[in-house]
Amino acid sequence: MVEVTLKVNGKSVTKSVKGNTLMTEFLRDELRLTGTHVGCDTSQCGACVIHVNGEAVKGCTMFAAEADGAEVATIEGMASPDGTLSVIQQAFQDHHGLQCGFCTPGMVMSAAALLKDNPKPTEAEVRDYLEGNLCRCTGYHNIVKAIMAASGQDVSSIAAE
């Protein structure tokens, strides 16, 4: 067992875990933060995207022990403490950027990382950035539109594919 201490969504946490415990397992099973989804366990789908020290990371590719001392943000930490949705979450709702919702946490976390690094991305940049996130329900059109809207850009000219 390995003792892991980190800050998750602003709260300090210390837990003993097996050395091979993945971040997705740690978050879901140990901390009961089930918004981080497990879709493939092979780093293909992006449903498990979290932020570790401000960088987007696929939680299924990282051991919890590797995050010792880190600051971790999950989808549960995106909304305000009073439950008000973040700008990105609200844009996903306003522009119907989700259907079943399974990929949505990873999409929102990826969008947040993109907009942090590139506050006004082009449509092509958004699509390129989301290449590591799979959605099995949509054609990505409304997801892209939501991210563009969250960046404060006019989305009326984004054509459906």
Side-chain angles (χ1 to χ4, degrees):
M1 298 295 276
V2 177
E3 188 169 277
V4 177
T5 300
L6 52 139
K7 193 175 277 192
V8 179
N9 298 328
K11 296 178 184 171
S12 292
V13 175
T14 300
K15 293 275 187 180
S16 291
V17 296
K18 292 179 183 177
N20 64 348
T21 300
L22 296 172
M23 276 302 293
T24 51
E25 297 167 326
F26 180 76
L27 293 168
R28 292 179 63 79
D29 300 339
E30 297 295 324
L31 303 184
R32 301 291 181 225
L33 296 172
T34 57
T36 301
H37 293 162
V38 178
C40 67
D41 276 335
T42 60
S43 186
Q44 301 297 311
C45 74
C48 64
V49 172
I50 57 175
H51 295 177
V52 178
N53 293 328
E55 298 296 321
V57 173
K58 291 183 179 179
C60 73
T61 66
M62 181 179 204
F63 293 118
E66 292 178 283
D68 190 38
E71 289 195 28
V72 176
T74 69
I75 191 67
E76 288 89 351
M78 289 295 290
S80 298
D82 69 358
T84 303
L85 297 178
S86 72
V87 171
I88 297 167
Q89 290 170 309
Q90 189 63 55
F92 267 71
Q93 182 177 348
D94 293 346
H95 295 279
H96 311 288
L98 60 127
Q99 283 186 18
C100 81
F102 190 81
C103 72
T104 305
M107 291 286 188
V108 168
M109 297 304 287
S110 290
L114 168 63
L115 295 178
K116 181 185 107 188
D117 293 339
N118 183 355
K120 299 286 184 196
T122 65
E123 180 180 350
E125 289 170 329
V126 172
R127 289 183 184 281
D128 184 58
Y129 195 87
L130 292 180
E131 197 164 296
N133 294 73
L134 298 178
C135 177
R136 291 173 175 91
C137 297
T138 73
Y140 297 88
H141 173 70
N142 288 342
I143 293 169
V144 172
K145 199 176 215 181
I147 295 169
M148 298 289 290
S151 75
Q153 298 183 69
D154 179 21
V155 296
S156 62
S157 65
I158 297 176
E161 293 186 339

